[in-house]
Structures are given as C-alpha cells and as structure tokens.
Amino acid sequence: CTVREVDGVPMLGSVSAIRDILATQVVDEVVICLPRSLIDNIEEVIDACGEQAVCIKFLADVYDIPEGGAISLEMVGGW
C-alpha cells in the first residue's frame, strides 16, 4: 500500500479501497472529509468501518464552498 500525505496526515487510499485497507492495515480511526453534497456517498465507508470496529470521524463541510475556495461573510450568514 502506497502512503500519501495530505497536510502531514497519511492517506492510505480511496473510498473504493476502504475494505482492503482496513483488512490489511492497522487502522485506529478513519477521518472522512468531504463536502456536504457528497455525504450520501459514504455508506460503504461506514459499513466497512463497522465490520472492522474502526472509529469514524466526520469533518463535513458546513457550507457549500464554491469551486475555487472563495467564501464571503454573506455566504455564511455573516454581518
């Protein structure tokens, strides 16, 4: 398994590889970071983690940030 890093945190693979990763690696927890619009696509991850008794943490986007990453106070109900 090739380990890549995102901001210094190891990323072992993609969602499609979750079952293989959990079966072959020692994993204490899975952190899921995704936009709110994709939250429905994580059932496979939840099921796989449940089967292996691995803790899951969600870091879902509270706001739908537009492509390009710019956000204004008006977009988040600011002043």
Side-chain angles (χ1 to χ4, degrees):
C1 180
T2 302
V3 177
R4 296 181 302 178
E5 289 188 1
V6 175
D7 291 332
V9 177
M11 186 176 81
L12 300 177
S14 65
V15 171
S16 61
I18 190 72
R19 290 185 191 284
D20 290 336
I21 293 167
L22 294 180
T24 60
Q25 303 290 315
V26 176
V27 177
D28 295 321
E29 72 181 7
V30 171
V31 179
I32 300 170
C33 306
L34 66 153
R36 191 173 40 165
S37 61
L38 298 177
I39 201 87
D40 293 335
N41 299 334
I42 60 168
E43 232 177 278
E44 183 177 358
V45 175
I46 294 169
D47 291 344
C49 289
E51 291 167 7
Q52 297 290 331
V54 173
C55 177
I56 303 172
K57 289 189 177 177
F58 292 95
L59 298 174
D61 240 351
V62 177
Y63 308 104
D64 287 325
I65 299 175
E67 195 170 320
I71 189 164
S72 68
L73 288 174
E74 292 80 24
M75 295 171 80
V76 294
W79 347 14

